[in-house]
Amino acid sequence: MNSAQQSNLSNTQKVVARFAPSPTGTLHAGNYRTAVFSYLYAKKYSGEFILRIEDTDKARSTKEYEENIMESLSWLDLPFDTIYRQSENVERHKEVLVKLIAEGKAYISKEEVREEGQRAEVIRFKNPNKVVTFFDVVRGNISFDTTELKDFVIARSLEEPLFHLAVVVDDFDEGITHVIRGEDHISNTPRQILIGEAIGAPIPIYAHLPLVLAPDRTKLSKRKGARPMTDYKKDGYEPEALINYMALIGWNPGTEQEFFTKDELISEFNLARVQKSSANFDEVKLLSINRHYLLKKYLEKPEELMERLWSFASADITKHSNFESRKEVVTKNVMERLSYIGEIKKMEETGELAFYFEQPSYMAELLLCSEKMRKGVNITLQTVKEYLVGIQKEIEGMDDKLFTNAESVKATLMPFADSLHRGGVLWATRIALSGKEKSPDPFTLISLFGKEESVKRLQHAQNLL
Ligand code: GLU
């Protein structure tokens, strides 16, 4: 058979795609994206998605990394139909090596080992030296003259097959129809096709995916500090956001649609729309997609989301005596700002949470707004005190009903603020309530705390002056 033929698989054959990570590092966005594309493709054609742990490199493979891969795929909801471990196929690899040698397609060669002047044995593949042409769904026909590869090594010994041999034998035995993997494997493909032909394996359909790049346009890899997917789990990201976002790295639906459920991805995904050029991993875009799913869940199941949210805060917050009575409104308030749930932890660390539950402490000078905000008006601590006394009176006179939303609080208090000095009054009121230079606006805070607590905090501020 001539390897220029695109693939010798029949059209009616069931799709079997695989994800074949080596457990030599945690699963990061680069290799996760490969898993997503393989999975989507297999499921689109009601085929099988196989996980093959390529653990033949004993020195670098670990059980922990394998567990990390499994945990990631399970959290991200990419269930595999079958799992194989390459190390379990060593006997089969040996059988193939023996056969190749017997047929004269491979041979044992004595190599010089430089340091000790010793000779070691390796098994080399007898290169037929020809032009291999294969069809890649992403890149079209690719031709390669294998002559320059010489007789390449396929095993260190009968018990130690190397990557190329193991991949080809396993793909054959597992009935893989589609090899969907990173484009860094393109240069391996001609060798693998030669081995495949030598063992009588059908040539699978190849799809080499463009690389996922870091924002600085360098390759995203475990060595370059790409975050493990399990870190996103720890930070409380939504798995739906990750599959949605990652599917859009290197593939585009050809429409403006941005949000896709997993089922929609399965039906829309198409290898023909995978681009050739590499794509950036854009953390900001991921955050905005994550926020979309976060808000959706909050709308659909507020109780459940609230539970999850506060499980990320410390007991200082969740055991606070005001926590239970305020948690619902505070949740609503912080949800306006969060992109991912674990961000609440950051808010707590930067002191942006405690004031919701207890009287904040701050220096009296903070109650004075900036020069810019004063717009030429001379505002002193004494003036601020007058503002606070005034706003307190207004609040005390407000009907309880008005506290239910920030808009009605605003409509009531704004005319008063305007009658004195809008910037000066609102700034001082906000600081009295939150103690923070950056916090929600005073109307939101007043509606959140209600009359009694708002008045208490305003009085506290006046006592500082
Ligand atoms: N184990 C290889 C890797 O992690 C993948 C091999 C393949 O997909 O053919 O890069």
Side-chain angles (χ1 to χ4, degrees), residues 18 20-22 54 163 167 181 185:
R18 72 344 183 240
S22 307
E54 300 210 322
F163 171 65
V167 165
R181 58 185 178 186
H185 287 290

Side-chain angles (χ1 to χ4, degrees), residues 18-24 31 34 52-54 86 163 167 171 179-182 184-185 188 192 208 222:
R18 72 344 183 240
F19 174 48
S22 307
T24 54
N31 38 32
T34 304
R52 183 170 71 228
I53 303 286
E54 300 210 322
Q86 199 154 57
F163 171 65
V167 165
D171 280 344
V179 170
I180 300 170
R181 58 185 178 186
D184 42 340
H185 287 290
N188 295 329
Q192 294 178 4
H208 286 98
K222 52 195 166 209

Side-chain angles (χ1 to χ4, degrees), residues 84-212:
Y84 296 97
R85 270 182 202 79
Q86 199 154 57
S87 57
E88 287 166 7
N89 303 338
V90 172
E91 274 310 304
R92 166 70 178 143
H93 298 151
K94 183 175 175 180
E95 186 187 304
V96 170
L97 283 166
V98 169
K99 187 154 183 270
L100 284 173
I101 295 169
E103 291 170 351
K105 293 174 180 167
Y107 60 90
I108 297 173
S109 114
K110 288 228 179 263
E111 311 278 314
E112 290 290 347
V113 179
R114 284 207 196 104
E115 295 125 44
E116 293 132 37
Q118 284 172 347
R119 289 161 83 80
E121 287 185 350
V122 294
I123 300 169
R124 284 184 180 273
F125 182 79
K126 202 153 177 206
N127 191 337
N129 298 330
K130 62 179 196 173
V131 174
V132 164
T133 300
F134 64 96
F135 178 70
D136 185 287
V137 186
V138 179
R139 314 192 145 247
N141 279 327
I142 299 176
S143 289
F144 193 92
D145 184 351
T146 67
T147 312
E148 61 189 77
L149 300 174
K150 306 210 175 75
D151 287 354
F152 52 90
V153 180
I154 53 174
R156 265 188 224 106
S157 68
L158 288 176
E159 278 74 33
E160 291 176 280
L162 290 185
F163 171 65
H164 296 302
L165 181 99
V167 165
V168 174
V169 173
D170 291 357
D171 280 344
F172 181 26
D173 290 352
E174 292 156 17
I176 304 298
T177 59
H178 290 71
V179 170
I180 300 170
R181 58 185 178 186
E183 74 176 16
D184 42 340
H185 287 290
I186 290 184
S187 60
N188 295 329
T189 308
R191 282 185 192 82
Q192 294 178 4
I193 287 176
L194 291 181
I195 298 173
E197 287 177 349
I199 67 170
I203 299 174
I205 292 166
Y206 290 98
H208 286 98
L209 310 174
L211 295 181
V212 180

Side-chain angles (χ1 to χ4, degrees), residues 320-351:
H320 197 284
S321 56
N322 290 324
F323 178 71
E324 286 305 325
S325 60
R326 290 192 194 154
K327 101 175 158 183
E328 212 162 307
V329 271
V330 176
T331 302
K332 188 156 170 265
N333 201 249
V334 299
M335 281 305 285
E336 277 168 30
R337 281 181 288 158
L338 294 186
S339 296
Y340 64 97
I341 259 191
E343 219 177 344
I344 192 100
K345 229 175 173 161
K346 268 200 204 149
M347 286 183 74
E348 182 176 352
E349 280 158 19
T350 53

Side-chain angles (χ1 to χ4, degrees), residues 425-439:
V425 174
L426 298 186
W427 175 269
T429 308
R430 198 167 61 72
I431 299 298
L433 294 166
S434 72
K436 290 269 153 209
E437 252 172 286
K438 286 201 180 91
S439 69

